[in-house]
Amino acid sequence: FDSSKLKEILDAAFVKDPPESFRVLKRVSQANAEGFLVDVNFSSSSDVTKQLFIKYVDAEQYSKKKFADMRRTLLYARTEARFYDKILPLFTNFTAC
């Protein structure tokens, strides 16, 4: 796996505060994706390291599989993205009260 892809993902996710550096702590290979546990240092606070989990689905890799497998993989990714975008902030706001 090319770590420059992780850099692109981090830069796109944190446009206002781009990461200064990152280090992969663990790589997790799943049937439908790859995951990476990373330590990230941000430009605004280089003394603070945050641990993040990045899930990466390479749709091109699944184009060789049966349509049902590719569809299931993409639906899983869409469901996870919705969860982190819509539901997780509700939990975070609820626990902060």
Side-chain angles (χ1 to χ4, degrees), residues 1-80:
F1 185 82
D2 183 5
S3 63
S4 65
K5 289 182 184 180
L6 288 178
K7 175 79 171 122
E8 289 175 21
I9 292 168
L10 288 166
D11 287 345
F14 300 101
V15 175
K16 292 182 181 177
D17 186 15
E20 190 172 283
S21 63
F22 71 93
R23 181 172 59 104
V24 177
L25 301 174
K26 186 175 183 179
R27 181 178 178 175
V28 179
S29 291
Q30 300 170 316
N32 63 346
E34 290 185 78
F36 301 90
L37 181 62
V38 294
D39 274 346
V40 181
N41 293 317
F42 290 92
S43 302
S44 64
S45 56
S46 58
D47 59 331
V48 177
T49 301
K50 292 186 180 181
Q51 255 187 22
L52 302 173
F53 182 77
I54 299 171
K55 184 169 185 172
Y56 180 76
V57 176
D58 184 358
E60 192 174 301
Q61 178 183 9
Y62 297 98
S63 66
K64 299 172 187 98
K65 294 190 175 197
K66 292 180 183 177
F67 176 76
D69 291 339
M70 183 175 67
R71 182 177 185 274
R72 183 175 46 252
T73 295
L74 295 175
L75 288 173
Y76 285 157
R78 183 183 71 179
T79 300
E80 284 187 77

